[in-house]
Amino acid sequence: MVSFAVLGPLVASDARGPVALHGPRHRAVLARLLVARGQVVSVDALVDSLWREPGAGAVGALQTFVGALRRSLEPGRAPRTPASLLVTEAPGYALRAEPDQVDAWRFEALLRRNPSVAQLDEALGWWRGEPYAEFADEPWARAEIARLAELRSLALERRASGLLELGRAAEAVPDLDSHVDAHPLREEAWRLFVLALYRAGRQGDALAALRRARAVLAADLGVDPGPGLRQLEQDVLTQAPRLIPSETAPRERLVGRERELAELAEAAGRTRLVLVSGEAGAGKTALVREFAARLGRTTAWGPNPDASGVPPAWPWTRILNALGEPVPAREQTGDPAVSRFRWHHAVAARLAEVAVRGRLLLVLDDLQWAGEETLALLAAVIAEPAPVLVVATYRTTEVSAELSAALGRLARADPVRLYLGGLSVAAVAELVGDGPAEVIHRRTAGNPFFVRELARVLDAEGDLPDGIRDVVRHRLDSLPEDGRAVLRRAAVVGAEIDPGLLDDAWEELEIAVRTGFLVSTGPRQFRFAHSLVRDAVYEDIPLAQRAQLHAAVAEALARRRPSEVSLLAHHFLRAGDDRGVGYARAAAERAERDFAPHEAVRWWQAALAHGPRTVELLMGLARTSAITGSLEAARRYRAEALDLAGADLALTTRVLTAFDVPGIWTDNDDPALARRIADAADRVLATELEPPVRARLLATVALELRSAGGPRARAAAVEAEQLARSVDDPALLALALNALWTQSCTRAGLAPARARIGTELVALAGRHRLVTFEVLGHLILVQAHSALADFTAAEAHASAADRLGEEYDIPLVAVFTEWYRAVRLAVTGPLAAAAAAYRAAAARLTGTGMSGLDRGILPLAQHCLYLQHGRVSTVDVSGWRTEQPDLLLELRACLAVPGARTTAERRRLYATLTPAAAELAGAGSGLVTLGPVAHYLGDLAAALDLPAAAHYRQAAEVARRAGAPHWVAAAEEAARNSAA
């Protein structure tokens, strides 16, 4: 079904995404029919709308436009069958869209139904700008644009009124401030603004707003404020009690938690983050609600729903909406990591701006269900210096791998941690009375939720079922069947319930509230009393019925909220409906646009699991897997996409150029796949190509073949660089420089050349915010400066790489910098600490998918560590790779020196190593070292009856630069012995 969005530029969409509307006059025809709201628009009126002076062919052109629109809007309609959407009806045409198909019509219908604040928030979110924006100057559109703008003002004022009724005055202030600036003659807007300021504790600002209103009305209309504003002014001056409403909803009585409340109050003055944990039902949310009420700060909640159909970082969107702040726009850049970082920083900065106006308490509830983006934003907000206190709750029994990693990162913020155990017997008695307290405490271990549920059953029947979910099922059986059916469908909807998705079953919802299954959170707003209640109801639904309910919810969502592709994907997939695949793909693409690669991976995987394996799905997974650091998975999906592309060169090109992953090691992780990719690239390169495409494919060949590619790979890298410099594409040049770096190990002693590549990469990527390539440049410079024994410079670049990796959430950076620091410790000692550092660094490699780096590197590092400290090594390195032009070229040559027996062997090694005389053997890898190359040249010279002392003196100088006194001593002793 096609949906139409007119609250901004005109957009038509179906399940596959935006529908092509062709040219401006096609769009004008569609807009003119939408403005008519289903009524027939005559041919003459349409012609007059399109042309100021219609020509002889105007009617024919109009018919062409209508035909093209019909093909776009009903692509599946069989030839010569009548249209059902854009219909012909004398004397012209009409658009027979359903009310739910047009966002403006849905918006107007919602305003007629006394909507809740949450529904108004959602509806106002449909606005993307001025309605019918591109037709604002057309006479036929002006009245409708003005009418819709008036409805939006009405919605904003109703939302503000709802927030005031709910006691959330501070959240209403920002939008009302903007609203009165835009519409200064609306007295109702001024009244709400003044009232919100007063209830937010800003009496002086409220009086100033009243003065502004009086001045505007006098200047523009020559009148005084009406009686409502005059009375409000008098009430503010006298601090009339009626300005402060009674509390809108009583909080659940909290018992037995005074110690925890005291700890929270103490923590609020000394930390930015409090982590409240405990088992399900321990009362974490109730504790934080009581704490928030006592703290008295402006508070915004961001619950994490336990369903997978929410957009990335949804809790933070909820928090911003609650504060009346717009979600910052997501700025597209050339690098997804930079885009993501900038958006995180923008959200954190926006919250910091709000906090400057008054200290904030932000609550992230149920963090165990949080997605990667929510957790990453939490770290960004905590890092922002602002008067913001974040309290996060999570279940200790459901800590995901993502949450565990996030808790590790958040440890640097020194959070206060509070664990909620069970209530005491005395606290249970306070809740249920002395009589049953002992029995209930023994059965529940003091779990507050379980205590209350058992007490309800005990009051009714005097019996105590086993287990929390047994209690919920037991109570559910007492409801009439209609009530149970509504609760089952509500459980499928999720923890927070839109009554519209339940066919507005108000009577059943009210019964569910009275019996404690649901709570009302505002006008037309409901949620489950606890997620455990929802879990128990949902899990008791038979699988076949569950699928039917998901299907029903999905259909209702498609009519009411067609833009919520993540939620639609969730429900259609759970229903086993093929449409879920299309929505999952749309959700994945939206997540990528929103810089949420982990969410995108999840949706691409869902689409692939439920639909046919296509190149598009596989490349989506390959691209996002690479961005999130799952390199092995990215290679696997890319290989399968290549198989599907087959002999189709255009499709093969798309697969090969879909994404760039910088390479920082000269051995490939999957040589067989690398050869397949290079061969496929060569097949495409044999055709006529534009320079940018050819450059990217050549860089791909060089990057894939790396040290095993020989002249073929080196020539590809050189040509790729030349082509990239001829076009204005910084990302392409960065890729070509990376390819050139992989081919920079053709002989020993090329660390200075690699340093030049790294320096250019850092400068280029820094200018154009290509952060992954900027990190690559820093890591190349870590390697090059380590080879040159300049550890001061190497450390500076390692720190820069670490900082970027942390800021932009690039986990693999730390793998390389930790190895580098192990190398540096191996140079300076002590030996035991260096050995431990190597083992820790090797552990970081596990699971990275970088097998080309991981193969045998730890034994080699340990072997070299013992040798360069003058110890006997018992480490078996016989399986180490044979000689090849890579970052370990000098190291392998130095390892071969003691075993060289013939003059020819020694001369060959001497010639090989001489260009690297000023370097540390192997340190250019950033992984391992064997000491100054010059020392081994001295040994070879002595064996060849050549002057050796100068080599040893150079070795001592290199060792001094490196800060390795044991190497200095060994070189000086060797120099004295050779002179003697």
Side-chain angles (χ1 to χ4, degrees), residues 2 31 107 200 273 279 301 317 323 347 431 499 510 563 578 696 911:
V2 180
F107 186 80
L273 175 64
E279 65 177 17
W301 286 70
T317 299
L323 295 171
V347 172
L431 282 174
E510 292 299 335
S563 63
D578 289 344
R696 190 170 295 277

Side-chain angles (χ1 to χ4, degrees), residues 7 47 107 160 216 316 358 387 476 502 594 743 764 824-825 895 900:
L7 301 177
V47 168
F107 186 80
V216 166
W316 292 102
L476 191 64
L502 306 179
D594 291 347
Q743 303 304 316
L764 173 72
R824 187 168 185 181
L825 200 55
L895 284 172

Side-chain angles (χ1 to χ4, degrees), residues 70 74 77 81-88 94-98:
R70 283 172 171 164
E74 296 184 73
R77 181 168 58 89
T81 57
S84 60
L85 184 57
L86 203 171
V87 301
T88 301
L95 191 75
R96 300 299 191 207
E98 296 295 324

Side-chain angles (χ1 to χ4, degrees), residues 678-700:
D679 290 344
D682 279 340
R683 289 197 301 275
V684 180
L685 284 165
T687 65
E688 288 291 327
L689 298 168
E690 292 294 320
V693 177
R694 181 171 180 81
R696 190 170 295 277
L697 289 171
L698 287 165
T700 298

Side-chain angles (χ1 to χ4, degrees), residues 752-945:
R754 290 193 287 275
R756 287 191 292 274
I757 294 173
T759 299
E760 183 176 2
L761 261 177
V762 168
L764 173 72
R767 283 197 306 273
H768 298 284
R769 305 310 298 142
L770 304 171
V771 71
T772 49
F773 284 106
E774 188 176 359
V775 167
L776 172 68
H778 283 300
L779 292 177
I780 288 173
L781 288 166
V782 167
Q783 295 170 339
H785 287 299
S786 295
L788 298 169
D790 186 353
F791 286 111
T792 300
E795 180 60 37
H797 289 289
S799 297
D802 280 334
R803 184 175 62 255
L804 290 169
E806 185 174 339
E807 286 180 353
Y808 294 97
D809 193 17
I810 308 173
L812 295 181
V813 174
V815 174
F816 292 97
T817 56
E818 188 165 345
W819 268 102
Y820 151 73
R821 292 190 174 98
V823 171
R824 187 168 185 181
L825 200 55
V827 171
T828 59
L831 185 146
Y838 271 136
R839 289 193 297 272
R844 293 288 292 265
L845 274 172
T846 304
T848 61
M850 293 188 292
S851 54
L853 176 61
D854 196 14
R855 288 191 292 265
I857 192 64
L858 178 60
L860 180 67
Q862 291 171 324
H863 178 69
C864 292
L865 176 65
Y866 298 141
L867 291 182
Q868 58 109 343
H869 277 274
R871 304 290 182 87
V872 175
S873 172
T874 58
V875 179
D876 180 14
V877 291
S878 59
W880 186 249
R881 288 159 288 185
T882 57
E883 187 171 336
Q884 54 189 342
D886 63 12
L887 290 170
L888 294 170
L889 188 154
E890 294 93 342
L891 180 77
R892 276 194 300 272
C894 289
L895 284 172
V897 168
R901 295 287 179 262
T902 68
T903 298
E905 284 181 282
R906 291 167 179 162
R907 288 187 182 280
R908 181 179 60 81
L909 289 171
Y910 189 82
T912 296
L913 289 171
T914 296
E919 297 182 16
L920 295 178
S925 66
L927 304 173
V928 60
T929 187
L930 199 55
V933 170
H935 198 119
Y936 293 88
L937 284 169
D939 292 347
L940 288 167
L944 291 168
D945 293 328

Side-chain angles (χ1 to χ4, degrees), residues 268-282:
R270 63 181 176 87
T271 189
R272 301 279 313 287
L273 175 64
V274 178
L275 299 170
V276 180
S277 62
E279 65 177 17

Side-chain angles (χ1 to χ4, degrees), residues 575-738:
D577 190 304
D578 289 344
R579 284 174 288 180
V581 174
Y583 281 115
R585 178 175 174 178
E589 291 169 344
R590 177 176 292 180
E592 286 195 67
R593 290 195 300 272
D594 291 347
F595 326 128
H598 295 87
E599 297 292 319
V601 166
R602 183 167 60 82
W603 285 119
W604 284 123
Q605 288 174 333
L608 201 62
H610 293 85
R613 302 180 82 80
T614 65
V615 167
E616 287 75 15
L617 293 184
L618 288 164
M619 287 314 299
L621 256 176
R623 182 174 57 249
T624 50
S625 296
I627 292 171
T628 59
S630 300
L631 301 181
E632 188 173 355
R635 288 194 297 272
R636 186 170 67 250
Y637 294 128
R638 193 181 195 187
E640 189 175 350
L642 267 181
D643 289 340
L644 285 180
D648 187 329
L649 292 183
L651 206 52
T652 298
T653 303
R654 286 174 55 194
V655 171
L656 294 175
T657 59
F659 61 94
D660 301 327
V661 179
I664 187 57
W665 188 239
T666 46
D667 273 6
N668 202 291
D669 299 315
D670 188 338
L673 174 59
R675 284 191 294 274
R676 284 182 54 206
I677 291 173
D679 290 344
D682 279 340
R683 289 197 301 275
V684 180
L685 284 165
T687 65
E688 288 291 327
L689 298 168
E690 292 294 320
V693 177
R694 181 171 180 81
R696 190 170 295 277
L697 289 171
L698 287 165
T700 298
V701 170
L703 278 163
E704 291 298 328
L705 295 181
R706 303 195 186 188
S707 59
R712 170 191 179 190
R714 288 194 288 276
V718 170
E719 186 182 352
E721 183 208 9
Q722 292 170 345
L723 285 170
R725 292 192 188 280
S726 71
V727 297
D728 185 19
D729 186 343
L732 179 59
L733 178 55
L735 182 70
L737 288 170
N738 189 184

